[in-house]
Amino acid sequence: MAVQEMSRGTHTTACACEECAREGHRRAVAAFLEKRDEFAAGQGVPAAVAHSLGASRQWVSDELALSARNVADRGREAGNSWLYVFSRRAVLAVWIAAGVLLLVQVAAALGTGWSTARTAGLLAALLLAGLLTVAARAQSLRGGLLAPLVGEDNRLSTSKAVPSAWVVLTSFATLLPALRLAASAPGPERQALYAGLALDRALPVLSVVVLTSGVAVLVRRVVGVRIMSQRLQKLPADRPRGADLLTDDAGRGSFPDAQYVLVSTAVLAYAAASLARFPDRLPQLPWALALLMALSAAVYLAAKYAEGSRPLVLSVVRRREPGDLDAAVRPGDDIEIRGVGFVPPGAQTPEMLARLVVRIGAVHVHVPLVPVPGGFTNPSDTVLTVPVPAEVEPGRTEIQVVTAAGVESNRCTIDVAE
């Protein structure tokens, strides 16, 4: 108990360790949820604005937006701390794997004796672990070994993870015969090692490496072009997660990503088993498995081409409260904007919801957050409710929605009466 108290006492308010960052994020989330539920119950609103429905709603929305921004800041700090800790643990895991390989080699050699192939396997593992350690140290603040797999949106990229796994396997498979060639004398053994690197045998596995790497490059290009043309809405995540490999930006299961990872894992396992069975040559893949990888990659790539859409305003109507009379839209009234794509994937957090803006003529109106127990009634992906400001001039006025990703919707025209 004394040791625990001493360890806690070493942390200060400016501490940036993983434990303090996660604790700060948990406290910020708890404070936000408490405030949201309090406002949803009609409590905590100052008397100065409680008399006006519009003023109280705007005050509540601003308070929730500030609290949500604090949650997002704490979440990003926790994410950066997690990446730093992960970079160190990943390097440790690589060296543990090399140690496990040493134990396996020693156990296998008890009955048959130590061989040059086992020495080459151990040296290849140590060399590869050393190279990965150097690469991880160079990117320790961005996740170490995870850094090459993280996309521009701070999520684990499926298109990068799959070819990275194949590159690591083929690199290890190339080091094995290379080290044996360096230690072998001219003769049948050296000829067999050269034959194991023949192009006709290695062509299927090389085709898979080229295919998956090409898909990664093409996906990055496709996503970048669609974002620049405002046909795809992308928002950054707080930190990478393993589930990113199987889900979309909203955290929902994605069939194209899942099948690509599943097929790649199965074929990669076959290649690893082939390498373990014949360590003197590159893994031999049947062309049927290479074709299976090509079909899986084609499905994944086609899904990337079809992904995303722009926000679309279908109609704008005056919102009528119960007991109110039907009338034209006037300044001070609430309008209901109906459409699709107002909340893109990954924008379900309160901070992102608070960034939604509706342009009414020349006036920019931030969409108010309307809390209810467990969530918000406004905004949503299909309906936005905003007040018409007094600064809006009577006459025909254009309505346009700007999402949290910065993408603008089409324009819809309404008539504002005096």
Side-chain angles (χ1 to χ4, degrees), residues 39-107:
F39 290 152
Q43 303 172 358
V45 180
V49 298
H51 67 280
S52 172
L53 177 61
S56 61
R57 182 177 60 185
Q58 187 61 50
W59 186 88
V60 167
S61 179
D62 292 342
E63 288 295 313
L64 289 175
L66 290 175
S67 182
R69 191 176 305 166
N70 182 49
V71 171
D73 291 341
R74 300 291 82 76
R76 283 186 282 269
E77 291 176 1
N80 294 335
S81 176
W82 179 86
L83 284 176
Y84 178 73
V85 173
F86 179 86
S87 66
R88 295 184 297 175
R89 293 177 180 175
V91 171
L92 179 61
V94 169
W95 287 102
I96 290 177
V100 171
L101 178 62
L102 173 61
L103 295 178
V104 172
Q105 295 281 35
V106 171

Side-chain angles (χ1 to χ4, degrees), residues 2-365:
V3 174
Q4 293 178 357
E5 293 298 330
M6 289 177 61
S7 63
R8 292 176 185 173
T10 59
H11 297 276
T12 63
T13 56
C15 183
C17 70
E18 182 189 18
E19 181 182 351
C20 292
R22 293 178 62 182
E23 181 62 25
H25 182 239
R26 282 194 295 265
R27 291 180 179 178
V29 171
F32 173 81
L33 295 178
E34 182 181 0
K35 182 175 294 187
R36 184 198 63 189
D37 294 341
E38 181 183 9
F39 290 152
Q43 303 172 358
V45 180
V49 298
H51 67 280
S52 172
L53 177 61
S56 61
R57 182 177 60 185
Q58 187 61 50
W59 186 88
V60 167
S61 179
D62 292 342
E63 288 295 313
L64 289 175
L66 290 175
S67 182
R69 191 176 305 166
N70 182 49
V71 171
D73 291 341
R74 300 291 82 76
R76 283 186 282 269
E77 291 176 1
N80 294 335
S81 176
W82 179 86
L83 284 176
Y84 178 73
V85 173
F86 179 86
S87 66
R88 295 184 297 175
R89 293 177 180 175
V91 171
L92 179 61
V94 169
W95 287 102
I96 290 177
V100 171
L101 178 62
L102 173 61
L103 295 178
V104 172
Q105 295 281 35
V106 171
L110 293 178
T112 59
W114 195 262
S115 63
T116 306
R118 291 191 172 91
T119 302
L122 182 59
L123 290 178
L126 294 177
L127 181 59
L128 187 60
L131 293 175
L132 292 177
T133 300
V134 173
R137 291 295 177 89
Q139 294 288 331
S140 60
L141 296 180
R142 293 182 55 85
L145 296 179
L146 200 65
L149 311 183
V150 178
E152 299 295 333
D153 57 354
N154 203 31
R155 294 180 177 87
L156 281 182
S157 173
T158 305
S159 62
K160 294 180 179 180
V162 170
S164 297
W166 280 101
V167 167
V168 170
L169 178 67
T170 52
S171 298
F172 181 74
T174 305
L175 286 173
L176 280 175
L179 293 174
R180 293 187 62 185
L181 278 172
S184 63
E189 181 181 0
R190 176 171 292 185
Q191 295 300 324
L193 291 173
Y194 279 125
L197 299 175
L199 180 61
D200 56 342
R201 294 184 177 181
L203 193 57
V205 69
L206 295 180
S207 300
V208 171
V209 174
V210 172
L211 173 68
T212 54
S213 301
V215 167
V217 175
L218 190 56
V219 165
R220 176 171 180 153
R221 175 63 178 172
V222 168
V223 172
V225 169
R226 292 178 69 83
I227 291 176
M228 295 298 294
S229 61
Q230 294 193 0
R231 289 180 293 173
L232 177 65
Q233 303 187 66
K234 273 283 187 180
L235 290 165
D238 291 337
R239 69 173 179 87
R241 293 176 172 83
D244 294 339
L245 299 177
L246 306 175
T247 61
D248 59 12
D249 292 352
R252 300 183 298 261
S254 171
F255 171 75
D257 292 67
Q259 63 86 26
Y260 191 38
V261 172
L262 179 62
V263 172
S264 302
T265 302
V267 179
L268 193 68
Y270 183 95
S274 175
L275 178 62
R277 183 69 178 85
F278 303 102
D280 56 344
R281 63 191 186 192
L282 291 177
Q284 283 191 312
L285 284 181
W287 278 108
L289 293 183
L291 179 59
L292 178 62
M293 276 296 306
L295 293 175
S296 178
V299 172
Y300 175 76
L301 189 58
K304 289 299 178 182
Y305 270 103
E307 184 182 22
S309 61
R310 295 186 62 177
L312 177 64
V313 176
L314 300 176
S315 60
V316 180
V317 299
R318 176 180 179 271
R319 183 171 182 178
R320 185 179 69 88
E321 297 295 335
D324 193 7
L325 298 177
D326 294 325
V329 176
R330 291 181 172 83
D333 291 341
D334 286 344
I335 56 175
E336 188 174 270
I337 304 172
R338 301 171 182 174
V340 292
F342 299 147
V343 182
Q348 293 82 8
T349 61
E351 184 209 15
M352 294 300 177
L353 293 177
R355 295 173 61 181
L356 260 171
V357 174
V358 175
R359 186 182 296 124
I360 306 178
V363 182
H364 294 76
V365 182

